[in-house]
Each structure stands twice: as structure tokens, then as C-alpha cells.
Amino acid sequence: MTLRYPALRDYGIVLVVAALVVALSLSTDTFLTAPNLVNLLDQAVVVGLLTCGMTLCVICGVFDLSASAVLAVSAIVAVLVTDRAGVPAGYAAGVATGALLGTFNGLVVVLTRVNSFIATLALSIVHRGLALVITGGAIVYPGAAHLAGFQSLSWPTVLGGVTGSSWLLVAAAVLTSVLLARTTFGRRVYAVGGNPTAAWLAGIGVRSIKVAVFAVSGTCAALAGLVLAARGGSAQPDMGTLLELTAIAAAVIGGTSILGGQGAVWRGMVGVLILTLIGNGFNLLGWNSTYRPIVEGLLILTAVSIDYALRHHRD
């Protein structure tokens, strides 16, 4: 069973993607066109960036329901600093804000010992409130002098017209994959998610690992916030609401275990691709988007059910 289990988890989702690609290619003439493929990748960026960080959290056995709120605060800080100090400083301030808020979230979770689901849900309300305080409930703009530079992240590049934000997702996915799969830190994340007591007995700093994955999640959320703000040329307190749930869904659909200890960033990216393909298919085929949440919900339920069944059978 140890061979069949990962094979089913890994190659099953690849087959799903292949089936979706074939179905959309045969049912529409526009799916395989360059503009649609570029658009498809661009649509996956924001959720993809959140999923990079969320995958590490889920594997570590914690949840970050404050990711979209961190996204909003980071984007607002980036816009305000850009207006006063320029684009590079604004981008740096946004990313630093996300990392600090993520670290703060992790510290709250490990020090209070409140379940991460509840703690980060409460913190998401706090961060949204912070965003309201900073902006006064208004939309903030970087100013005419810096607007074009601030939006450069969403511009097409010379590399096939793929946007800068899409390349940012590729870089984030590669870096988090290496961090998780090729470093001691990554092995400790798996250990903590699989059995935190055994990890602690083995000398692993369980609390520090949990804080670290929240910091990574906050950083990825900040990058997603920069992308959203660059696209709209503005930021506001309610931007990105509930996107963390989509990121969790993508991770689980891709094969990351909701129970922790198993998963990979590439699986999360496959999950993002599946959700993006479904949305793209609804648009290209002219289907009523009212039914899209039903399809996605059933897909998530199926993925979680399969994960539970496989783990239970293996145990």
C-alpha cells in the first residue's frame, strides 16, 4: 500500500488536469490560443501565491485564515509608502508588513495555544480592522507620479506576453518547493505536521517551526496583495476577502492532506490549476457561473474524502 498510496495521490490529480485540458481543447477553439493561456496563468497568480504559503501551513498541521486580511493590510501599506517614497520602497514595505503580520500570527497561535483555525479567524478580523483604521475606510491610490511604476508588476513581459506577476508566482512556487523539499526546515515541517509530540521528543522546535510557516504564509499573502493592488492601481480594506479558503481548497484538491504531514507545493499548484481551468472553462463555454461553486465544492469534498479514506486504510 505504501507504493499505491502516493501513486494514486500524485498521478490522479495529473490525470484530472490532463482530462480538463483535453475536454476544453476539444470543446472550444479558443482554449489553446496564446492569449487565453497567458490569461489562464495570470488568473492563477493571486490564489497561487496564497497557496504557496498555505501549503506549508497545512502540511505543518495549522491553518492561516488571516491570509486575505494580511494581503489587504500589506497592499495598503505598499500603496501608502509608494506614494511617499517610491515604488521599490513601497513594494519592500508591503512584503515586510506581510512577513511581520505572519510572524505575529504564529506567535499568537503558539503562545495562546488556541487552535490555529480559531486564532487566525479572530486575527483576520483584527487585521481587517487595522486596514480600516489606516485607510479610514477609503480606497488608497499611489498617486499619479508613481502609478505607472506601481502597476508594472501586472504588465506583459517580452517572454511571450506573460505578465510579471505570473513570473512572480513561478519564482515563489520554486522557492517554497525548494524550502519544503530540499532543506532541513522542510523536513521539520513534515515532522511537526505528522506528529508534533514525536517531533518535540526528537528535539525539533515545534513552536518555532509553526511561527516560521506563518511567516512564510504572510510573505506570500503580501506578494498576492501587491499583485492585486498593481492590477487595480489601488488598495482597500476589503480586498481579497475569503481568498484563503480558495487557497486551502487548492492545496487539498492537489493532494495535500488536511490532517497535516503530507503534501507538496507542486500539488498545491496543480490544485490551483484545476480550479482555474474550471473557471476558464465556464467562461469559454458560456456556462452559467452560478453553478461553478457547486462544482468546486463537490471537488473539494471528493478530495478530502479520498484523503481520509486513503490515510485511514493505510493506518
Side-chain angles (χ1 to χ4, degrees):
M1 190 64 189
T2 55
L3 293 176
R4 292 167 55 195
Y5 176 74
L8 179 59
R9 181 185 292 274
D10 289 351
Y11 300 115
I13 56 174
V14 174
L15 291 176
V16 171
V17 171
L20 285 172
V21 170
V22 171
L24 290 174
S25 301
L26 294 176
S27 58
T28 174
D29 296 329
T30 55
F31 175 73
L32 289 178
T33 60
N36 184 63
L37 294 178
V38 170
N39 180 58
L40 189 71
L41 183 58
D42 202 43
Q43 289 175 354
V45 171
V46 174
V47 173
L49 287 169
L50 290 174
T51 304
C52 286
M54 196 66 69
T55 298
L56 267 69
C57 287
V58 175
I59 292 174
C60 194
V62 295
F63 295 94
D64 185 6
L65 296 188
S66 68
S68 66
V70 172
L71 176 158
V73 176
S74 300
I76 289 168
V77 170
V79 169
L80 294 177
V81 174
T82 293
D83 191 39
R84 291 164 176 75
V87 176
Y91 278 6
V95 174
T97 299
L100 288 174
L101 288 178
T103 302
F104 174 75
N105 292 342
L107 289 172
V108 170
V109 169
V110 301
L111 293 178
T112 64
R113 298 186 179 182
V114 175
N115 184 279
S116 61
F117 190 96
I118 301 301
T120 56
L121 177 60
L123 287 168
S124 71
I125 300 172
V126 173
H127 297 331
R128 290 286 179 189
L130 177 61
L132 284 170
V133 170
I134 294 173
T135 64
I139 300 174
V140 294
Y141 303 89
H146 302 293
L147 180 59
F150 187 80
Q151 291 189 288
S152 61
L153 189 61
S154 63
W155 291 351
T157 65
V158 295
L159 301 174
V162 178
T163 63
S165 58
S166 296
W167 289 114
L168 178 63
L169 172 59
V170 172
V174 170
L175 288 174
T176 50
S177 293
V178 172
L179 182 66
L180 188 60
R182 302 293 181 182
T183 67
T184 301
F185 170 76
R187 291 190 290 273
R188 290 177 177 176
V189 170
Y190 282 108
V192 172
N195 190 325
T197 302
W200 179 77
L201 291 174
I204 295 174
V206 173
R207 289 187 171 188
S208 62
I209 294 297
K210 289 183 177 181
V211 172
V213 295
F214 275 110
V216 173
S217 180
T219 302
C220 291
L223 294 175
L226 291 181
V227 171
L228 275 182
R231 288 176 179 174
S234 63
Q236 59 193 61
D238 63 347
M239 65 191 301
T241 303
L242 298 181
L243 282 180
E244 65 272 6
L245 299 182
T246 305
I248 293 173
V252 173
I253 290 171
T256 295
S257 176
I258 200 73
L259 301 176
Q262 296 176 352
V265 173
W266 75 265
R267 291 176 179 168
M269 295 301 98
V270 173
V272 172
L273 180 57
I274 290 174
L275 292 177
T276 307
L277 284 170
I278 291 173
N280 189 245
F282 267 82
N283 293 332
L284 294 179
L285 296 172
W287 290 352
N288 189 340
S289 60
T290 303
Y291 298 101
R292 178 180 168 184
I294 298 176
V295 174
E296 294 178 347
L298 290 174
L299 186 60
I300 296 167
L301 180 60
T302 301
V304 174
S305 299
I306 291 174
D307 172 65
Y308 177 80
L310 288 173
R311 289 191 65 149
H312 181 73
H313 183 73
R314 185 186 62 169
D315 293 339

Coordinates of all heavy atoms in Angstrom, one line a residue, residues 172-262:
A172 N 8.0 32.2 -6.7 CA 7.5 31.9 -5.3 C 7.3 30.3 -5.2 O 7.6 29.7 -4.2 CB 6.2 32.6 -5.0
A173 N 6.7 29.7 -6.2 CA 6.5 28.3 -6.2 C 7.8 27.5 -6.1 O 7.9 26.5 -5.4 CB 5.6 27.9 -7.4
V174 N 8.8 27.9 -6.9 CA 10.1 27.3 -6.9 C 10.7 27.4 -5.6 O 11.3 26.4 -5.0 CB 10.9 27.8 -8.0 CG1 12.4 27.3 -7.9 CG2 10.4 27.5 -9.4
L175 N 10.7 28.6 -5.0 CA 11.4 28.9 -3.8 C 10.8 28.1 -2.6 O 11.5 27.5 -1.8 CB 11.4 30.4 -3.4 CG 12.4 31.2 -4.3 CD1 12.2 32.7 -4.0 CD2 13.8 30.8 -4.1
T176 N 9.5 28.1 -2.5 CA 8.8 27.4 -1.4 C 8.9 25.9 -1.6 O 9.0 25.1 -0.7 CB 7.3 27.8 -1.3 OG1 6.7 27.7 -2.6 CG2 7.2 29.2 -0.8
S177 N 9.0 25.4 -2.9 CA 9.2 24.0 -3.1 C 10.5 23.5 -2.7 O 10.7 22.5 -2.0 CB 9.0 23.7 -4.6 OG 7.7 23.9 -5.1
V178 N 11.6 24.3 -3.0 CA 12.9 24.0 -2.5 C 13.0 24.1 -1.0 O 13.6 23.2 -0.4 CB 13.9 25.0 -3.2 CG1 15.3 24.8 -2.5 CG2 14.0 24.8 -4.7
L179 N 12.4 25.1 -0.4 CA 12.4 25.2 1.0 C 11.8 24.0 1.7 O 12.3 23.5 2.7 CB 11.6 26.5 1.4 CG 11.5 26.8 2.9 CD1 12.9 27.2 3.4 CD2 10.6 28.0 3.1
L180 N 10.7 23.5 1.1 CA 10.0 22.4 1.7 C 10.6 21.0 1.4 O 10.6 20.2 2.3 CB 8.5 22.4 1.2 CG 7.5 21.4 1.9 CD1 7.4 21.7 3.4 CD2 6.2 21.5 1.2
A181 N 11.1 20.9 0.2 CA 11.6 19.5 -0.2 C 13.1 19.3 -0.1 O 13.5 18.2 0.0 CB 11.1 19.3 -1.6
R182 N 13.9 20.4 0.0 CA 15.3 20.2 0.0 C 16.1 20.8 1.2 O 17.3 20.9 1.1 CB 15.8 21.0 -1.3 CG 15.2 20.5 -2.6 CD 15.7 19.0 -2.9 NE 15.1 18.6 -4.2 CZ 15.3 17.3 -4.6 NH1 16.0 16.5 -3.9 NH2 14.8 17.0 -5.8
T183 N 15.3 21.2 2.2 CA 16.0 21.7 3.4 C 15.6 21.0 4.7 O 14.6 20.3 4.7 CB 15.7 23.2 3.5 OG1 14.3 23.4 3.9 CG2 16.0 24.0 2.3
T184 N 16.5 21.2 5.7 CA 16.2 20.7 7.0 C 14.9 21.2 7.5 O 14.1 20.5 8.2 CB 17.3 21.0 8.0 OG1 18.5 20.4 7.5 CG2 17.0 20.4 9.3
F185 N 14.7 22.5 7.3 CA 13.4 23.2 7.7 C 12.2 22.4 7.1 O 11.2 22.2 7.9 CB 13.4 24.6 7.3 CG 12.1 25.3 7.5 CD1 11.7 25.7 8.7 CD2 11.3 25.5 6.4 CE1 10.5 26.3 8.9 CE2 10.0 26.2 6.5 CZ 9.6 26.6 7.8
G186 N 12.3 22.1 5.9 CA 11.2 21.4 5.2 C 10.9 20.1 5.9 O 9.7 19.7 6.1
R187 N 11.9 19.3 6.2 CA 11.8 18.0 6.8 C 11.1 18.2 8.2 O 10.3 17.4 8.6 CB 13.1 17.3 6.9 CG 13.6 16.8 5.6 CD 14.8 15.9 5.7 NE 16.0 16.6 6.2 CZ 16.9 17.2 5.4 NH1 16.7 17.2 4.1 NH2 18.0 17.8 6.0
R188 N 11.5 19.3 8.9 CA 10.9 19.5 10.2 C 9.4 19.9 10.1 O 8.6 19.6 11.0 CB 11.7 20.6 10.9 CG 13.1 20.1 11.3 CD 13.9 21.2 12.0 NE 15.2 20.6 12.4 CZ 16.2 21.4 12.9 NH1 16.0 22.7 13.1 NH2 17.3 20.8 13.3
V189 N 9.1 20.6 9.0 CA 7.7 21.0 8.8 C 6.8 19.7 8.6 O 5.7 19.6 9.3 CB 7.5 21.9 7.5 CG1 6.0 22.0 7.1 CG2 8.1 23.2 7.7
Y190 N 7.3 18.7 7.9 CA 6.6 17.5 7.7 C 6.5 16.7 9.0 O 5.5 16.2 9.4 CB 7.3 16.6 6.7 CG 7.1 16.9 5.3 CD1 8.1 17.5 4.5 CD2 5.9 16.7 4.6 CE1 7.9 17.9 3.2 CE2 5.6 17.0 3.3 CZ 6.6 17.6 2.6 OH 6.4 17.9 1.3
A191 N 7.6 16.8 9.8 CA 7.6 16.1 11.1 C 6.6 16.6 12.1 O 5.9 15.9 12.7 CB 9.0 16.1 11.7
V192 N 6.6 18.0 12.1 CA 5.7 18.6 13.1 C 4.2 18.4 12.6 O 3.3 18.1 13.5 CB 5.9 20.1 13.1 CG1 4.8 20.9 13.9 CG2 7.3 20.4 13.7
G193 N 3.9 18.4 11.4 CA 2.6 18.2 10.9 C 2.2 16.7 11.0 O 1.0 16.4 11.3
G194 N 3.1 15.8 10.9 CA 2.8 14.4 11.0 C 2.5 13.9 12.5 O 1.6 13.2 12.8
N195 N 3.4 14.4 13.4 CA 3.3 14.0 14.8 C 4.1 15.1 15.6 O 5.3 14.9 15.8 CB 3.8 12.6 15.0 CG 3.4 12.1 16.4 OD1 3.4 12.9 17.4 ND2 3.2 10.8 16.5
P196 N 3.4 16.1 16.1 CA 4.1 17.2 16.8 C 4.8 16.7 18.1 O 5.9 17.1 18.5 CB 3.0 18.2 17.1 CG 1.7 17.5 17.0 CD 2.0 16.4 15.9
T197 N 4.2 15.7 18.8 CA 4.8 15.2 20.0 C 6.1 14.4 19.7 O 7.1 14.6 20.4 CB 3.8 14.2 20.7 OG1 2.6 14.9 21.0 CG2 4.4 13.7 22.0
A198 N 6.1 13.6 18.7 CA 7.3 12.9 18.3 C 8.3 13.8 17.8 O 9.5 13.7 18.1 CB 6.9 11.9 17.2
A199 N 7.9 14.9 17.1 CA 8.9 15.9 16.6 C 9.5 16.6 17.8 O 10.7 16.8 17.8 CB 8.2 16.9 15.7
W200 N 8.8 16.9 18.8 CA 9.3 17.6 20.0 C 10.3 16.7 20.7 O 11.3 17.1 21.2 CB 8.1 18.0 20.9 CG 8.6 18.6 22.2 CD1 9.0 19.9 22.3 CD2 8.7 18.0 23.5 NE1 9.4 20.2 23.7 CE2 9.2 19.0 24.4 CE3 8.4 16.8 24.0 CZ2 9.4 18.8 25.7 CZ3 8.6 16.5 25.3 CH2 9.0 17.5 26.2
L201 N 9.9 15.4 20.9 CA 10.8 14.4 21.5 C 12.1 14.2 20.7 O 13.1 13.9 21.3 CB 10.1 13.1 21.7 CG 8.9 13.1 22.7 CD1 8.2 11.7 22.6 CD2 9.4 13.4 24.1
A202 N 12.0 14.5 19.4 CA 13.2 14.3 18.6 C 14.1 15.6 18.6 O 15.1 15.7 17.9 CB 12.8 14.0 17.2
G203 N 13.7 16.6 19.4 CA 14.5 17.8 19.5 C 14.1 18.9 18.6 O 14.9 19.9 18.5
I204 N 13.0 18.8 17.9 CA 12.6 19.8 16.9 C 11.9 20.9 17.7 O 11.0 20.6 18.5 CB 11.7 19.2 15.8 CG1 12.5 18.2 15.0 CG2 11.1 20.3 14.9 CD1 11.7 17.5 13.9
G205 N 12.2 22.1 17.4 CA 11.4 23.3 18.0 C 10.1 23.4 17.3 O 10.0 24.2 16.3
V206 N 9.1 22.8 17.8 CA 7.8 22.7 17.2 C 7.2 24.2 17.1 O 6.7 24.6 16.1 CB 6.8 21.8 18.0 CG1 5.4 21.9 17.5 CG2 7.3 20.4 17.9
R207 N 7.3 24.9 18.2 CA 6.8 26.3 18.2 C 7.4 27.2 17.1 O 6.8 27.9 16.4 CB 6.9 26.9 19.5 CG 6.0 26.3 20.6 CD 6.1 27.1 21.9 NE 5.1 26.7 22.9 CZ 4.8 27.3 24.0 NH1 5.6 28.4 24.3 NH2 3.9 26.9 24.8
S208 N 8.8 27.1 17.0 CA 9.5 27.9 16.1 C 9.1 27.6 14.6 O 9.1 28.4 13.8 CB 11.0 27.8 16.3 OG 11.4 26.5 16.1
I209 N 8.9 26.3 14.4 CA 8.6 25.8 13.0 C 7.2 26.4 12.7 O 7.0 26.9 11.5 CB 8.6 24.3 12.9 CG1 10.0 23.8 13.1 CG2 8.0 23.8 11.6 CD1 11.0 24.2 12.0
K210 N 6.3 26.3 13.6 CA 4.9 26.8 13.3 C 4.9 28.3 13.1 O 4.3 28.8 12.2 CB 4.0 26.5 14.5 CG 3.6 25.0 14.6 CD 2.6 24.8 15.7 CE 2.2 23.3 15.7 NZ 1.2 23.0 16.8
V211 N 5.7 29.1 13.9 CA 5.8 30.5 13.6 C 6.4 30.8 12.3 O 6.0 31.7 11.5 CB 6.7 31.2 14.7 CG1 7.0 32.6 14.4 CG2 6.0 31.1 16.1
A212 N 7.4 30.0 11.9 CA 8.1 30.2 10.6 C 7.1 30.0 9.4 O 7.1 30.7 8.4 CB 9.3 29.2 10.5
V213 N 6.3 28.9 9.5 CA 5.4 28.7 8.4 C 4.3 29.8 8.3 O 3.9 30.2 7.2 CB 4.7 27.3 8.4 CG1 5.7 26.2 8.3 CG2 3.8 27.2 9.7
F214 N 3.9 30.4 9.4 CA 3.0 31.5 9.4 C 3.7 32.7 8.8 O 3.1 33.5 8.0 CB 2.5 31.9 10.8 CG 1.3 31.1 11.2 CD1 1.4 30.1 12.2 CD2 0.1 31.3 10.6 CE1 0.3 29.4 12.6 CE2 -1.0 30.5 11.0 CZ -0.9 29.6 12.0
A215 N 5.0 32.9 9.0 CA 5.8 34.0 8.4 C 5.8 33.8 6.9 O 5.7 34.8 6.2 CB 7.2 34.1 9.0
V216 N 6.1 32.6 6.5 CA 6.1 32.4 5.0 C 4.7 32.6 4.4 O 4.6 33.3 3.3 CB 6.5 30.9 4.7 CG1 6.3 30.6 3.2 CG2 7.9 30.7 5.2
S217 N 3.7 32.2 5.1 CA 2.3 32.5 4.6 C 2.0 34.0 4.5 O 1.4 34.4 3.5 CB 1.3 31.8 5.5 OG 0.0 32.0 5.1
G218 N 2.4 34.7 5.5 CA 2.3 36.2 5.5 C 3.0 36.8 4.4 O 2.5 37.7 3.7
T219 N 4.2 36.3 4.1 CA 5.0 36.9 3.0 C 4.3 36.6 1.6 O 4.3 37.5 0.8 CB 6.4 36.3 3.0 OG1 7.0 36.6 4.3 CG2 7.3 36.9 1.9
C220 N 3.9 35.4 1.5 CA 3.2 35.1 0.2 C 1.9 35.9 0.1 O 1.5 36.3 -1.0 CB 2.9 33.6 0.2 SG 4.3 32.5 0.0
A221 N 1.2 36.1 1.2 CA 0.0 36.9 1.1 C 0.3 38.3 0.7 O -0.5 39.0 0.0 CB -0.7 36.9 2.5
A222 N 1.4 38.9 1.2 CA 1.8 40.2 0.9 C 2.1 40.3 -0.6 O 1.7 41.3 -1.3 CB 3.1 40.6 1.7
L223 N 2.8 39.3 -1.2 CA 3.0 39.3 -2.6 C 1.7 39.2 -3.4 O 1.6 39.9 -4.4 CB 3.9 38.1 -3.0 CG 5.3 38.0 -2.4 CD1 6.0 36.7 -2.8 CD2 6.1 39.2 -3.0
A224 N 0.8 38.5 -2.9 CA -0.5 38.4 -3.6 C -1.2 39.8 -3.5 O -1.9 40.2 -4.5 CB -1.4 37.4 -3.0
G225 N -1.1 40.5 -2.4 CA -1.6 41.8 -2.2 C -1.0 42.8 -3.2 O -1.7 43.7 -3.8
L226 N 0.3 42.7 -3.4 CA 1.0 43.6 -4.4 C 0.4 43.4 -5.8 O 0.2 44.3 -6.5 CB 2.5 43.3 -4.4 CG 3.3 43.7 -3.1 CD1 4.8 43.4 -3.3 CD2 3.1 45.2 -2.8
V227 N 0.2 42.1 -6.1 CA -0.4 41.8 -7.5 C -1.8 42.4 -7.6 O -2.1 43.0 -8.6 CB -0.4 40.3 -7.7 CG1 -1.2 39.9 -9.0 CG2 1.0 39.7 -7.7
L228 N -2.6 42.2 -6.6 CA -4.0 42.8 -6.7 C -4.0 44.3 -6.8 O -4.7 44.9 -7.5 CB -4.8 42.3 -5.5 CG -5.5 40.9 -5.6 CD1 -6.3 40.7 -4.3 CD2 -6.4 40.9 -6.8
A229 N -3.1 44.9 -5.9 CA -3.0 46.4 -5.9 C -2.5 46.9 -7.2 O -2.9 47.9 -7.7 CB -2.2 46.8 -4.8
A230 N -1.5 46.2 -7.8 CA -0.9 46.6 -9.1 C -1.9 46.5 -10.2 O -2.0 47.4 -11.1 CB 0.3 45.7 -9.4
R231 N -2.8 45.5 -10.2 CA -3.8 45.4 -11.2 C -4.8 46.5 -11.2 O -5.2 47.1 -12.2 CB -4.5 44.0 -11.1 CG -3.7 42.8 -11.5 CD -4.5 41.5 -11.2 NE -3.7 40.4 -11.6 CZ -4.1 39.1 -11.4 NH1 -5.2 38.9 -10.7 NH2 -3.3 38.1 -11.7
G232 N -5.2 46.8 -10.0 CA -6.2 47.9 -9.9 C -5.7 49.3 -9.7 O -6.4 50.3 -9.7
G233 N -4.4 49.4 -9.4 CA -3.8 50.7 -9.1 C -4.3 51.3 -7.8 O -4.2 52.5 -7.6
S234 N -4.7 50.4 -6.9 CA -5.3 50.9 -5.6 C -5.3 49.8 -4.6 O -5.1 48.6 -5.0 CB -6.7 51.5 -5.8 OG -7.6 50.5 -6.3
A235 N -5.7 50.1 -3.4 CA -5.9 49.1 -2.4 C -7.0 49.6 -1.5 O -7.2 50.8 -1.3 CB -4.6 48.9 -1.6
Q236 N -7.7 48.6 -0.8 CA -8.8 48.9 0.1 C -8.9 47.8 1.1 O -8.4 46.7 0.9 CB -10.1 49.1 -0.7 CG -10.5 47.9 -1.5 CD -11.6 48.2 -2.5 OE1 -11.4 49.0 -3.4 NE2 -12.7 47.5 -2.4
P237 N -9.6 48.1 2.2 CA -9.6 47.2 3.3 C -10.3 45.8 3.0 O -9.9 44.8 3.7 CB -10.4 47.9 4.4 CG -10.2 49.4 4.1 CD -10.2 49.4 2.6
D238 N -11.2 45.8 2.1 CA -12.0 44.5 1.9 C -11.4 43.7 0.7 O -12.1 42.7 0.3 CB -13.5 44.8 1.7 CG -13.7 45.6 0.4 OD1 -12.8 46.2 -0.1 OD2 -14.9 45.7 0.0
M239 N -10.3 44.1 0.2 CA -9.7 43.3 -1.0 C -9.3 41.9 -0.6 O -8.8 41.7 0.5 CB -8.6 44.1 -1.6 CG -7.3 44.2 -0.7 SD -6.1 45.4 -1.4 CE -5.7 44.7 -3.0
G240 N -9.6 41.0 -1.5 CA -9.1 39.6 -1.3 C -9.9 38.8 -0.3 O -9.5 37.7 0.1
T241 N -11.1 39.3 0.1 CA -11.9 38.6 1.1 C -12.1 37.1 0.8 O -12.6 36.8 -0.3 CB -13.2 39.3 1.3 OG1 -13.0 40.7 1.7 CG2 -14.0 38.7 2.5
L242 N -11.8 36.3 1.8 CA -12.1 34.8 1.7 C -11.2 34.1 0.7 O -11.4 32.9 0.5 CB -13.6 34.5 1.4 CG -14.6 35.0 2.4 CD1 -16.0 34.7 2.0 CD2 -14.3 34.5 3.8
L243 N -10.2 34.7 0.1 CA -9.3 34.0 -0.8 C -8.5 32.9 -0.1 O -8.1 32.0 -0.8 CB -8.4 35.0 -1.5 CG -9.0 35.8 -2.7 CD1 -8.0 36.7 -3.3 CD2 -9.6 34.9 -3.7
E244 N -8.3 33.0 1.2 CA -7.6 32.0 1.9 C -8.3 30.7 1.9 O -7.7 29.6 1.9 CB -7.3 32.4 3.4 CG -8.5 32.5 4.2 CD -9.1 33.9 4.2 OE1 -8.7 34.7 3.4 OE2 -10.1 34.1 5.0
L245 N -9.6 30.7 1.8 CA -10.4 29.5 1.7 C -10.2 28.8 0.4 O -10.1 27.6 0.3 CB -11.9 29.7 1.9 CG -12.3 30.3 3.3 CD1 -13.8 30.5 3.4 CD2 -11.8 29.4 4.4
T246 N -10.1 29.6 -0.7 CA -9.8 29.1 -2.0 C -8.4 28.5 -2.0 O -8.1 27.4 -2.7 CB -9.9 30.2 -3.1 OG1 -11.2 30.8 -3.0 CG2 -9.7 29.6 -4.5
A247 N -7.4 29.1 -1.3 CA -6.1 28.6 -1.3 C -6.0 27.3 -0.5 O -5.3 26.3 -1.0 CB -5.1 29.6 -0.6
I248 N -6.7 27.1 0.6 CA -6.8 25.9 1.3 C -7.4 24.8 0.4 O -6.9 23.7 0.3 CB -7.6 26.0 2.6 CG1 -6.9 26.9 3.6 CG2 -7.9 24.7 3.2 CD1 -7.7 27.3 4.8
A249 N -8.5 25.2 -0.3 CA -9.1 24.2 -1.2 C -8.2 23.8 -2.3 O -8.1 22.6 -2.6 CB -10.3 24.9 -1.9
A250 N -7.4 24.7 -2.9 CA -6.4 24.3 -3.9 C -5.4 23.3 -3.4 O -5.0 22.3 -4.0 CB -5.7 25.5 -4.5
A251 N -4.9 23.6 -2.2 CA -3.9 22.7 -1.6 C -4.5 21.3 -1.4 O -3.8 20.3 -1.7 CB -3.4 23.3 -0.2
V252 N -5.7 21.2 -0.9 CA -6.3 19.9 -0.6 C -6.7 19.2 -1.9 O -6.4 18.0 -2.0 CB -7.6 20.1 0.3 CG1 -8.4 18.8 0.4 CG2 -7.2 20.7 1.6
I253 N -7.2 19.9 -2.9 CA -7.5 19.3 -4.1 C -6.3 18.7 -4.8 O -6.3 17.7 -5.4 CB -8.2 20.3 -5.1 CG1 -9.6 20.7 -4.6 CG2 -8.2 19.8 -6.5 CD1 -10.2 21.8 -5.3
G254 N -5.1 19.4 -4.6 CA -3.9 19.0 -5.2 C -3.3 17.7 -4.5 O -2.4 17.1 -5.0
G255 N -3.8 17.4 -3.3 CA -3.3 16.2 -2.6 C -2.6 16.4 -1.3 O -2.1 15.5 -0.7
T256 N -2.6 17.7 -0.9 CA -2.0 17.9 0.5 C -3.0 17.5 1.5 O -4.2 17.9 1.4 CB -1.6 19.4 0.6 OG1 -0.6 19.7 -0.3 CG2 -1.2 19.7 2.0
S257 N -2.6 16.7 2.5 CA -3.5 16.2 3.5 C -4.0 17.2 4.4 O -3.2 18.0 5.0 CB -2.9 15.0 4.2 OG -3.7 14.6 5.3
I258 N -5.3 17.3 4.6 CA -5.9 18.3 5.5 C -5.5 17.9 7.0 O -5.6 18.8 7.9 CB -7.4 18.3 5.4 CG1 -8.0 19.6 5.9 CG2 -8.1 17.1 6.0 CD1 -7.8 20.8 5.1
L259 N -5.0 16.7 7.2 CA -4.6 16.3 8.5 C -3.2 16.6 8.8 O -2.7 16.3 9.9 CB -4.9 14.8 8.7 CG -6.3 14.3 8.5 CD1 -6.5 12.8 8.6 CD2 -7.3 15.0 9.5
G260 N -2.5 17.1 7.9 CA -1.1 17.5 8.1 C -0.1 16.4 7.8 O -0.4 15.2 7.8
G261 N 1.2 16.8 7.6 CA 2.3 15.8 7.5 C 2.5 15.3 6.1 O 3.5 14.6 5.9
Q262 N 1.6 15.6 5.1 CA 1.8 15.1 3.8 C 1.4 16.2 2.8 O 0.4 16.9 3.0 CB 0.9 13.8 3.5 CG 1.4 12.6 4.4 CD 0.4 11.5 4.2 OE1 -0.6 11.6 3.5 NE2 0.8 10.3 4.7

